[in-house]
Coordinates of all heavy atoms in Angstrom, one line a residue:
T1 N 24.3 -4.5 -1.2 CA 22.9 -4.3 -0.7 C 22.0 -4.8 -1.8 O 22.0 -4.3 -2.9 CB 22.5 -2.7 -0.6 OG1 23.8 -2.2 0.3 CG2 21.4 -2.5 0.2
P2 N 21.0 -5.6 -1.3 CA 20.0 -6.0 -2.4 C 19.1 -5.0 -2.8 O 18.7 -4.1 -2.1 CB 19.2 -7.3 -1.6 CG 19.5 -6.9 -0.1 CD 20.8 -6.1 0.0
T3 N 18.7 -5.1 -4.0 CA 17.8 -4.2 -4.6 C 16.3 -4.6 -4.2 O 15.9 -5.8 -4.2 CB 17.7 -4.3 -6.1 OG1 19.2 -4.1 -6.6 CG2 16.8 -3.3 -6.8
P4 N 15.6 -3.5 -3.6 CA 14.3 -3.9 -3.2 C 13.4 -4.2 -4.3 O 13.6 -3.8 -5.4 CB 13.8 -2.5 -2.5 CG 14.8 -1.5 -3.0 CD 15.9 -2.1 -3.4
S5 N 12.5 -5.1 -4.0 CA 11.6 -5.6 -5.1 C 10.6 -4.6 -5.3 O 10.1 -3.9 -4.4 CB 10.9 -7.0 -4.8 OG 10.6 -7.1 -3.4
P6 N 10.0 -4.5 -6.6 CA 8.9 -3.5 -6.7 C 7.6 -3.8 -5.9 O 7.5 -5.0 -5.7 CB 8.7 -3.7 -8.2 CG 9.2 -5.0 -8.6 CD 10.3 -5.3 -7.7
P7 N 6.9 -2.8 -5.8 CA 5.7 -3.1 -5.0 C 4.7 -3.9 -5.9 O 4.8 -3.9 -7.1 CB 5.0 -1.7 -4.8 CG 5.7 -0.8 -5.8 CD 7.0 -1.4 -6.1
P8 N 3.8 -4.6 -5.2 CA 2.9 -5.5 -5.9 C 1.9 -4.6 -6.7 O 1.7 -3.3 -6.2 CB 2.2 -6.3 -4.8 CG 2.3 -5.5 -3.6 CD 3.7 -4.7 -3.8
P9 N 1.3 -5.1 -7.8 CA 0.3 -4.2 -8.4 C -0.9 -3.9 -7.5 O -1.2 -4.6 -6.6 CB -0.1 -5.1 -9.6 CG 0.3 -6.5 -9.3 CD 1.4 -6.3 -8.4
P10 N -1.6 -2.9 -7.7 CA -2.9 -2.6 -7.0 C -3.9 -3.7 -7.0 O -4.0 -4.4 -8.0 CB -3.5 -1.3 -7.6 CG -2.3 -0.8 -8.4 CD -1.5 -1.9 -8.8
T11 N -4.3 -4.0 -5.9 CA -5.3 -5.2 -5.8 C -6.7 -4.7 -6.3 O -6.9 -3.5 -6.5 CB -5.5 -5.6 -4.3 OG1 -6.1 -4.5 -3.6 CG2 -4.2 -6.0 -3.6
L12 N -7.4 -5.6 -6.6 CA -8.8 -5.5 -7.2 C -9.7 -4.5 -6.2 O -10.3 -3.6 -6.7 CB -9.5 -6.7 -7.5 CG -10.8 -6.7 -8.1 CD1 -10.7 -6.0 -9.5 CD2 -11.4 -8.0 -8.4
Q13 N -9.4 -4.7 -5.0 CA -10.1 -3.9 -4.0 C -9.7 -2.5 -4.1 O -10.7 -1.5 -4.0 CB -9.9 -4.4 -2.6 CG -10.5 -5.7 -2.2 CD -9.6 -6.8 -2.6 OE1 -8.6 -6.7 -3.2 NE2 -10.0 -8.1 -2.2
V14 N -8.4 -2.2 -4.3 CA -8.0 -0.7 -4.5 C -8.5 -0.1 -5.7 O -9.1 1.0 -5.7 CB -6.4 -0.8 -4.5 CG1 -5.9 0.6 -4.8 CG2 -5.9 -1.2 -3.1
L15 N -8.5 -1.0 -6.8 CA -9.1 -0.4 -8.0 C -10.6 0.0 -7.9 O -11.0 0.9 -8.7 CB -8.7 -1.4 -9.2 CG -7.3 -1.7 -9.5 CD1 -7.2 -2.7 -10.5 CD2 -6.6 -0.5 -10.0
R16 N -11.3 -0.9 -7.2 CA -12.7 -0.7 -7.0 C -13.0 0.6 -6.2 O -13.9 1.3 -6.3 CB -13.4 -1.9 -6.4 CG -13.6 -3.0 -7.5 CD -14.3 -4.2 -6.8 NE -14.5 -5.2 -7.7 CZ -14.5 -6.5 -7.4 NH1 -14.4 -6.9 -6.1 NH2 -14.6 -7.4 -8.3
A17 N -12.1 0.8 -5.1 CA -12.2 1.9 -4.2 C -11.8 3.2 -4.8 O -12.4 4.3 -4.4 CB -11.4 1.7 -2.9
L18 N -10.9 3.3 -5.7 CA -10.5 4.6 -6.2 C -11.5 5.5 -6.7 O -11.5 6.7 -6.4 CB -9.4 4.4 -7.3 CG -8.0 4.0 -6.8 CD1 -7.0 3.7 -8.0 CD2 -7.4 5.0 -5.9
P19 N -12.4 4.9 -7.6 CA -13.5 5.9 -8.1 C -14.3 6.5 -6.9 O -14.8 7.6 -6.9 CB -14.4 5.1 -9.1 CG -13.4 4.1 -9.4 CD -12.4 3.7 -8.2
V20 N -14.6 5.6 -6.0 CA -15.5 6.1 -4.8 C -14.8 7.2 -4.0 O -15.4 8.2 -3.7 CB -15.8 4.8 -3.9 CG1 -16.7 5.3 -2.7 CG2 -16.6 3.9 -4.7
I21 N -13.4 6.9 -3.7 CA -12.7 7.8 -3.0 C -12.5 9.2 -3.8 O -12.7 10.3 -3.2 CB -11.4 7.3 -2.7 CG1 -11.4 6.1 -1.7 CG2 -10.3 8.3 -2.0 CD1 -10.2 5.3 -1.6
E22 N -12.2 9.0 -5.0 CA -12.1 10.3 -5.8 C -13.4 11.2 -6.0 O -13.3 12.4 -5.9 CB -11.6 9.9 -7.2 CG -10.2 9.5 -7.1 CD -9.6 9.1 -8.6 OE1 -10.4 8.9 -9.5 OE2 -8.5 8.8 -8.7
E23 N -14.5 10.5 -6.0 CA -15.8 11.1 -6.1 C -16.1 11.8 -4.7 O -16.5 13.0 -4.7 CB -17.0 10.1 -6.4 CG -18.3 10.8 -6.5 CD -19.3 9.8 -6.9 OE1 -19.2 8.7 -7.4 OE2 -20.4 10.3 -6.7
A24 N -15.6 11.2 -3.6 CA -15.9 11.8 -2.3 C -15.0 13.0 -2.1 O -15.3 14.0 -1.5 CB -15.7 10.8 -1.3
L25 N -13.8 13.0 -2.7 CA -12.8 14.1 -2.5 C -12.9 15.2 -3.6 O -12.4 16.2 -3.4 CB -11.5 13.5 -2.5 CG -10.9 12.6 -1.4 CD1 -9.6 12.0 -1.7 CD2 -11.0 13.3 -0.1
E26 N -13.8 15.0 -4.6 CA -13.9 15.9 -5.6 C -14.2 17.3 -5.3 O -13.6 18.3 -5.8 CB -14.8 15.6 -6.8 CG -15.0 16.4 -7.9 CD -13.7 16.6 -8.7 OE1 -12.9 15.7 -8.7 OE2 -13.5 17.7 -9.2
P27 N -15.0 17.6 -4.3 CA -15.3 18.9 -3.8 C -14.0 19.8 -3.4 O -14.0 21.0 -3.4 CB -16.2 18.8 -2.7 CG -16.9 17.5 -2.9 CD -16.0 16.7 -3.5
F28 N -13.0 19.0 -3.0 CA -11.7 19.6 -2.5 C -10.8 19.7 -3.6 O -9.6 20.2 -3.4 CB -11.2 18.7 -1.3 CG -12.2 18.6 -0.3 CD1 -12.9 17.4 -0.1 CD2 -12.5 19.6 0.7 CE1 -13.8 17.2 0.9 CE2 -13.3 19.4 1.6 CZ -14.0 18.2 1.8
R29 N -11.0 19.3 -4.9 CA -10.2 19.4 -6.1 C -8.7 18.9 -5.7 O -7.7 19.5 -5.8 CB -10.1 20.9 -6.5 CG -11.4 21.4 -6.9 CD -11.6 22.1 -8.1 NE -10.5 22.4 -9.1 CZ -10.3 22.0 -10.3 NH1 -11.2 21.0 -10.7 NH2 -9.4 22.2 -11.0
P30 N -8.7 17.7 -5.3 CA -7.4 17.0 -5.0 C -6.6 16.7 -6.2 O -7.2 16.7 -7.3 CB -7.8 15.6 -4.3 CG -9.1 15.3 -5.0 CD -9.8 16.7 -5.1
R31 N -5.3 16.6 -5.9 CA -4.4 16.1 -7.2 C -3.8 14.9 -6.7 O -3.6 14.5 -5.7 CB -3.2 17.3 -7.2 CG -3.9 18.5 -7.6 CD -2.7 19.5 -7.9 NE -3.3 20.9 -7.9 CZ -2.6 21.9 -7.4 NH1 -1.7 21.9 -6.7 NH2 -3.2 23.2 -7.5
H32 N -3.7 14.1 -7.9 CA -3.2 12.7 -7.6 C -1.7 12.8 -7.2 O -0.9 13.7 -7.5 CB -3.1 11.9 -9.0 CG -4.6 11.6 -9.4 ND1 -5.4 12.3 -10.2 CD2 -5.2 10.5 -9.2 CE1 -6.5 11.7 -10.4 NE2 -6.5 10.6 -9.8
H33 N -1.3 11.7 -6.5 CA 0.2 11.6 -6.2 C 0.6 10.7 -7.4 O 0.3 9.6 -7.6 CB 0.2 10.7 -4.9 CG 1.7 10.5 -4.5 ND1 2.6 9.6 -5.2 CD2 2.4 11.0 -3.5 CE1 3.7 9.7 -4.6 NE2 3.6 10.5 -3.6
W34 N 1.7 11.3 -8.1 CA 2.1 10.7 -9.3 C 2.7 9.3 -9.2 O 2.7 8.6 -10.1 CB 3.0 11.8 -10.1 CG 2.3 12.9 -10.5 CD1 2.3 14.1 -10.0 CD2 1.5 13.0 -11.6 NE1 1.6 15.0 -10.7 CE2 0.9 14.3 -11.7 CE3 1.0 12.1 -12.6 CZ2 0.1 14.7 -12.7 CZ3 0.1 12.5 -13.7 CH2 -0.4 13.8 -13.6
G35 N 3.2 9.1 -8.1 CA 3.9 7.8 -7.8 C 2.9 6.7 -7.4 O 3.3 5.6 -7.2
K36 N 1.8 7.0 -7.3 CA 0.8 6.0 -6.7 C -0.1 5.5 -7.8 O 0.4 5.1 -8.8 CB -0.2 6.7 -5.6 CG 0.6 7.2 -4.5 CD 1.3 6.0 -3.9 CE 2.1 6.6 -2.6 NZ 2.8 5.6 -2.0
C37 N -1.4 5.6 -7.8 CA -2.4 5.0 -8.8 C -2.8 6.0 -9.8 O -4.0 5.8 -10.4 CB -3.5 4.3 -8.1 SG -3.0 2.9 -7.1
A38 N -2.3 7.2 -9.9 CA -2.8 8.2 -10.7 C -2.9 7.7 -12.2 O -3.9 8.1 -13.0 CB -1.9 9.4 -10.9
Q39 N -2.1 6.9 -12.6 CA -2.1 6.4 -14.1 C -3.3 5.5 -14.3 O -3.7 5.3 -15.4 CB -0.8 5.7 -14.5 CG -0.7 4.3 -13.8 CD 0.1 4.4 -12.4 OE1 0.1 5.4 -11.9 NE2 0.7 3.3 -12.0
L40 N -4.0 5.1 -13.2 CA -5.2 4.2 -13.4 C -6.4 5.0 -13.5 O -7.4 4.6 -14.1 CB -5.3 3.3 -12.2 CG -4.1 2.4 -11.9 CD1 -4.3 1.7 -10.5 CD2 -3.9 1.5 -13.0
T41 N -6.4 6.3 -12.9 CA -7.7 7.0 -13.0 C -7.6 8.5 -13.6 O -8.5 9.1 -14.0 CB -8.3 7.1 -11.5 OG1 -7.4 7.7 -10.7 CG2 -8.7 5.7 -11.0
A42 N -6.4 9.0 -13.6 CA -6.3 10.3 -14.1 C -6.3 10.2 -15.6 O -6.1 9.2 -16.3 CB -4.9 10.9 -13.7
S43 N -6.5 11.4 -16.3 CA -6.5 11.6 -17.7 C -5.8 12.8 -18.1 O -5.7 13.8 -17.3 CB -7.9 11.5 -18.3 OG -8.6 12.8 -17.9
P44 N -5.2 12.9 -19.3 CA -4.6 14.1 -19.8 C -5.6 15.4 -19.6 O -5.2 16.6 -19.1 CB -4.2 13.9 -21.2 CG -4.1 12.4 -21.3 CD -5.2 12.0 -20.4
A45 N -6.9 15.1 -19.8 CA -7.9 16.3 -19.8 C -8.0 16.7 -18.3 O -8.2 17.9 -17.9 CB -9.3 15.9 -20.3
W46 N -8.0 15.7 -17.5 CA -8.1 15.9 -15.9 C -6.9 16.8 -15.4 O -7.0 17.8 -14.8 CB -8.3 14.7 -15.1 CG -8.2 15.0 -13.7 CD1 -9.4 15.2 -12.9 CD2 -7.1 15.0 -12.7 NE1 -9.1 15.6 -11.6 CE2 -7.7 15.4 -11.5 CE3 -5.7 14.8 -12.9 CZ2 -6.9 15.5 -10.3 CZ3 -4.9 15.0 -11.9 CH2 -5.5 15.3 -10.5
V47 N -5.7 16.3 -15.9 CA -4.4 17.1 -15.5 C -4.5 18.5 -16.1 O -4.2 19.4 -15.2 CB -3.2 16.3 -16.1 CG1 -2.0 17.2 -15.9 CG2 -3.1 15.0 -15.4
A48 N -4.9 18.7 -17.3 CA -5.0 20.0 -17.9 C -5.9 20.9 -17.0 O -5.8 22.1 -16.7 CB -5.4 20.0 -19.3
S49 N -7.2 20.4 -16.7 CA -8.1 21.1 -16.0 C -7.7 21.4 -14.5 O -8.0 22.5 -14.0 CB -9.5 20.3 -15.9 OG -9.4 19.3 -15.1
C50 N -6.9 20.6 -14.0 CA -6.5 20.7 -12.6 C -5.3 21.8 -12.5 O -5.2 22.7 -11.6 CB -5.9 19.4 -12.0 SG -5.5 19.5 -10.4
Y51 N -4.4 21.7 -13.5 CA -3.2 22.7 -13.4 C -3.3 23.9 -14.2 O -2.5 24.7 -14.0 CB -2.0 21.8 -13.7 CG -1.7 20.9 -12.6 CD1 -2.1 19.5 -12.8 CD2 -0.9 21.1 -11.5 CE1 -1.8 18.6 -11.7 CE2 -0.6 20.2 -10.4 CZ -1.1 18.9 -10.6 OH -0.8 18.1 -9.7
G52 N -4.1 23.9 -15.2 CA -4.4 25.1 -16.1 C -3.1 25.7 -16.6 O -2.2 25.2 -17.2
E53 N -3.0 27.1 -16.2 CA -2.0 27.8 -16.7 C -0.6 27.4 -16.2 O 0.4 27.5 -16.8 CB -2.2 29.3 -16.3 CG -1.1 30.4 -16.5 CD -0.8 30.6 -18.0 OE1 -1.7 30.2 -18.8 OE2 0.3 31.0 -18.3
R54 N -0.5 26.9 -15.0 CA 0.8 26.4 -14.5 C 1.3 25.2 -15.4 O 2.6 25.0 -15.6 CB 0.6 25.9 -13.1 CG 0.5 26.9 -12.1 CD 0.2 26.6 -10.7 NE -1.1 25.9 -10.6 CZ -1.6 25.4 -9.6 NH1 -0.9 25.3 -8.5 NH2 -2.8 24.8 -9.7
L55 N 0.4 24.4 -15.9 CA 0.9 23.3 -16.8 C 1.3 23.9 -18.2 O 2.4 23.3 -18.6 CB -0.4 22.4 -17.1 CG -0.1 21.1 -18.0 CD1 1.1 20.3 -17.5 CD2 -1.3 20.3 -18.3
R56 N 0.7 24.8 -18.6 CA 1.1 25.6 -19.8 C 2.6 26.1 -19.7 O 3.5 25.9 -20.5 CB 0.2 26.7 -20.3 CG 0.6 27.3 -21.7 CD -0.1 28.5 -21.9 NE 0.5 29.6 -21.1 CZ 1.8 30.1 -21.2 NH1 2.6 29.7 -22.0 NH2 2.1 31.2 -20.3
R57 N 2.8 26.7 -18.5 CA 4.1 27.3 -18.3 C 5.1 26.2 -18.0 O 6.3 26.3 -18.4 CB 4.0 28.2 -17.0 CG 3.3 29.5 -17.2 CD 3.5 30.6 -16.1 NE 3.6 30.1 -14.8 CZ 2.7 30.2 -13.9 NH1 1.5 30.8 -14.1 NH2 2.9 29.7 -12.6
F58 N 4.7 25.1 -17.4 CA 5.6 24.0 -17.2 C 6.0 23.4 -18.5 O 7.2 23.1 -18.8 CB 5.0 22.9 -16.3 CG 5.9 21.7 -16.2 CD1 7.0 21.7 -15.4 CD2 5.6 20.5 -16.9 CE1 7.8 20.6 -15.1 CE2 6.3 19.4 -16.7 CZ 7.4 19.4 -15.9
R59 N 5.1 23.2 -19.4 CA 5.3 22.7 -20.7 C 6.3 23.6 -21.4 O 7.2 23.2 -22.2 CB 4.0 22.6 -21.7 CG 3.2 21.5 -21.2 CD 1.9 21.6 -21.9 NE 0.9 20.5 -21.8 CZ -0.3 20.7 -21.8 NH1 -1.0 21.7 -22.3 NH2 -1.1 19.7 -21.4
A60 N 6.2 25.0 -21.4 CA 7.1 25.8 -22.0 C 8.5 25.7 -21.4 O 9.6 25.7 -22.2 CB 6.6 27.3 -21.9
L61 N 8.7 25.5 -20.2 CA 9.9 25.4 -19.6 C 10.6 24.1 -20.0 O 11.8 24.0 -20.3 CB 9.8 25.4 -18.0 CG 9.6 26.6 -17.3 CD1 9.4 26.4 -15.8 CD2 11.0 27.5 -17.3
C62 N 9.9 23.0 -20.1 CA 10.4 21.8 -20.6 C 10.9 21.9 -22.1 O 11.9 21.4 -22.4 CB 9.2 20.6 -20.7 SG 8.8 20.1 -19.0
D63 N 10.0 22.6 -22.9 CA 10.4 22.8 -24.3 C 11.7 23.6 -24.4 O 12.5 23.4 -25.3 CB 9.3 23.5 -25.1 CG 8.2 22.5 -25.4 OD1 8.4 21.3 -25.4 OD2 7.1 23.0 -25.7
A64 N 11.9 24.7 -23.5 CA 13.1 25.4 -23.5 C 14.3 24.6 -23.0 O 15.4 24.9 -23.5 CB 12.9 26.6 -22.7
H65 N 14.2 23.9 -21.9 CA 15.3 23.3 -21.3 C 15.6 21.8 -21.6 O 16.6 21.3 -21.3 CB 15.2 23.6 -19.7 CG 15.2 24.9 -19.3 ND1 16.4 25.6 -19.3 CD2 14.2 25.8 -18.9 CE1 16.0 26.9 -18.9 NE2 14.8 27.0 -18.8
D66 N 14.5 21.2 -22.2 CA 14.6 19.8 -22.5 C 14.0 19.6 -24.0 O 13.0 18.9 -24.1 CB 14.1 18.8 -21.5 CG 14.3 17.4 -21.9 OD1 15.2 17.1 -22.6 OD2 13.3 16.6 -21.3
P67 N 14.4 20.3 -24.9 CA 13.7 20.4 -26.2 C 13.7 19.0 -26.9 O 12.8 18.7 -27.7 CB 14.5 21.3 -27.1 CG 15.9 21.4 -26.5 CD 15.7 21.1 -25.0
T68 N 14.6 18.0 -26.6 CA 14.5 16.6 -27.2 C 13.7 15.6 -26.3 O 13.5 14.5 -26.7 CB 15.8 16.1 -27.4 OG1 16.6 15.9 -26.2 CG2 16.7 17.0 -28.3
G69 N 13.2 16.1 -25.1 CA 12.4 15.3 -24.3 C 13.3 14.1 -23.7 O 12.7 13.0 -23.3
K70 N 14.5 14.3 -23.5 CA 15.4 13.3 -22.8 C 14.9 12.8 -21.5 O 15.0 11.7 -21.2 CB 16.8 13.8 -22.8 CG 17.7 12.8 -22.3 CD 19.1 13.2 -22.4 CE 20.3 12.3 -22.1 NZ 20.2 11.1 -23.0
F71 N 14.4 13.8 -20.7 CA 14.0 13.4 -19.4 C 12.5 13.1 -19.3 O 11.9 13.2 -18.2 CB 14.3 14.6 -18.4 CG 15.8 14.8 -18.3 CD1 16.4 15.9 -19.1 CD2 16.6 13.9 -17.6 CE1 17.7 16.1 -19.1 CE2 18.0 14.0 -17.7 CZ 18.5 15.2 -18.4
R72 N 11.9 12.8 -20.4 CA 10.5 12.4 -20.3 C 10.3 10.8 -20.6 O 11.2 10.2 -21.0 CB 9.6 13.1 -21.5 CG 9.5 14.6 -21.4 CD 8.6 15.1 -22.5 NE 9.0 16.5 -22.6 CZ 8.5 17.2 -23.5 NH1 7.6 16.6 -24.4 NH2 8.7 18.5 -23.7
N73 N 9.2 10.4 -20.3 CA 8.8 8.9 -20.5 C 7.4 8.9 -21.3 O 6.8 10.0 -21.3 CB 8.8 8.1 -19.3 CG 8.0 8.4 -18.3 OD1 6.9 9.1 -18.5 ND2 8.4 8.2 -17.0
L74 N 6.9 7.8 -21.6 CA 5.7 7.7 -22.3 C 4.5 8.1 -21.4 O 3.6 8.9 -21.9 CB 5.4 6.3 -22.6 CG 6.3 5.7 -23.8 CD1 6.0 4.2 -24.0 CD2 5.9 6.3 -25.1
H75 N 4.5 7.9 -20.1 CA 3.6 8.4 -19.1 C 3.5 9.9 -19.1 O 2.5 10.4 -19.2 CB 3.7 7.8 -17.7 CG 2.7 8.2 -16.8 ND1 1.4 7.8 -16.9 CD2 2.8 8.9 -15.8 CE1 0.7 8.3 -15.8 NE2 1.5 9.0 -15.1
L76 N 4.6 10.6 -19.0 CA 4.6 12.0 -18.9 C 4.2 12.7 -20.2 O 3.4 13.6 -20.2 CB 6.0 12.5 -18.5 CG 6.5 12.3 -17.1 CD1 8.0 12.8 -17.0 CD2 5.7 13.0 -16.2
N77 N 4.7 12.1 -21.3 CA 4.2 12.6 -22.6 C 2.7 12.4 -22.8 O 2.1 13.4 -23.3 CB 4.9 11.8 -23.8 CG 6.2 12.3 -24.2 OD1 6.5 13.5 -23.8 ND2 6.9 11.7 -25.0
E78 N 2.1 11.4 -22.3 CA 0.7 11.3 -22.4 C -0.1 12.1 -21.5 O -1.0 12.9 -21.9 CB 0.2 9.8 -22.2 CG -1.3 9.6 -22.4 CD -1.7 8.2 -22.0 OE1 -0.9 7.3 -21.7 OE2 -2.9 7.9 -22.1
M79 N 0.3 12.2 -20.2 CA -0.5 12.9 -19.2 C -0.1 14.5 -19.2 O -1.1 15.1 -18.9 CB -0.1 12.5 -17.8 CG -0.4 10.9 -17.7 SD -2.2 10.5 -17.8 CE -2.9 11.2 -16.4
L80 N 1.0 14.8 -19.4 CA 1.3 16.3 -19.4 C 1.4 17.0 -20.7 O 1.3 18.1 -20.9 CB 2.6 16.4 -18.6 CG 2.7 15.9 -17.1 CD1 4.1 16.3 -16.7 CD2 1.7 16.5 -16.5
F81 N 1.7 16.1 -21.8 CA 2.0 16.7 -23.1 C 0.8 16.5 -24.1 O 0.8 16.8 -25.2 CB 3.3 16.5 -23.6 CG 4.4 17.1 -22.7 CD1 5.0 16.4 -21.7 CD2 4.8 18.4 -23.0 CE1 5.9 17.0 -20.9 CE2 5.8 18.9 -22.1 CZ 6.3 18.2 -21.1
G82 N 0.0 15.4 -23.7 CA -1.1 15.0 -24.5 C -0.8 14.2 -25.7 O -1.5 14.1 -26.7
N83 N 0.3 13.4 -25.7 CA 0.6 12.5 -26.7 C 1.5 11.4 -26.2 O 2.0 11.5 -25.0 CB 1.4 13.2 -27.9 CG 2.8 13.8 -27.4 OD1 3.6 13.1 -27.0 ND2 3.0 15.0 -27.6
V84 N 1.5 10.2 -27.0 CA 2.2 9.2 -26.5 C 3.5 8.9 -27.2 O 4.3 7.9 -27.0 CB 1.3 7.8 -26.5 CG1 0.2 7.9 -25.6 CG2 0.8 7.6 -27.9
K85 N 3.9 9.7 -28.2 CA 5.0 9.6 -29.1 C 6.1 10.1 -28.2 O 6.1 11.2 -27.6 CB 4.9 10.3 -30.3 CG 4.0 9.6 -31.2 CD 3.8 10.3 -32.7 CE 4.6 11.6 -32.9 NZ 4.3 12.2 -34.2
M86 N 7.3 9.4 -28.2 CA 8.4 9.9 -27.5 C 9.2 10.8 -28.5 O 9.2 10.5 -29.7 CB 9.3 8.7 -27.1 CG 8.7 7.8 -26.0 SD 8.7 8.6 -24.4 CE 10.3 8.8 -24.0
R87 N 9.8 11.9 -28.1 CA 10.7 12.7 -28.9 C 11.9 12.0 -29.1 O 12.4 11.2 -28.2 CB 10.8 14.0 -28.2 CG 9.6 14.9 -28.2 CD 10.0 16.3 -27.6 NE 8.8 17.1 -27.6 CZ 9.0 18.3 -27.2 NH1 10.1 18.9 -26.9 NH2 7.9 19.1 -27.2
P88 N 12.6 12.1 -30.2 CA 13.9 11.5 -30.4 C 14.9 11.9 -29.4 O 14.9 13.1 -29.1 CB 14.2 11.8 -31.8 CG 13.3 12.8 -32.3 CD 12.2 12.9 -31.3
S89 N 15.8 11.1 -29.0 CA 16.9 11.5 -28.0 C 18.0 12.0 -28.8 O 18.2 11.7 -29.8 CB 17.3 10.3 -27.2 OG 16.2 9.7 -26.4

């Protein structure tokens, strides 16, 4: 079975539309879909404000069950843990 090719990068039109769409949806406090364009417009501060206490509890669970960060990547470290350094495996 052939491996599917990765999706094309977001087009310029999508990148221009994202801030407009996010501003229109802001009253509903939406959350980004992590597999889509979140990395283009979300920030660690936004994630923290959106998830609050649940993010703190999630971080504690990660520290307890994955103390070396084996199941993390740079994006998760930046967005959820507020740093870009990878923990040693």
Side-chain angles (χ1 to χ4, degrees):
T1 311
T3 304
S5 45
T11 64
L12 188 56
Q13 293 86 355
V14 170
L15 296 177
R16 288 182 180 149
L18 283 176
V20 176
I21 293 168
E22 288 177 353
E23 184 178 345
L25 293 174
E26 183 57 35
F28 305 103
R29 302 224 356 112
R31 296 184 191 140
H32 289 87
H33 182 290
W34 291 103
K36 302 295 181 185
C37 297
Q39 69 273 22
L40 302 174
T41 58
S43 69
W46 178 86
V47 172
S49 72
C50 187
Y51 291 94
E53 175 63 19
R54 288 178 291 174
L55 179 59
R56 189 200 64 73
R57 291 193 323 251
F58 176 75
R59 288 174 180 155
L61 281 171
C62 289
D63 287 341
H65 297 285
D66 183 26
T68 63
K70 184 170 183 73
F71 297 103
R72 296 187 200 174
N73 60 30
L74 289 173
H75 180 68
L76 288 177
N77 270 348
E78 180 181 1
M79 298 301 287
L80 301 183
F81 296 89
N83 63 60
V84 293
K85 291 183 353 183
M86 294 291 288
R87 291 183 178 190
S89 303

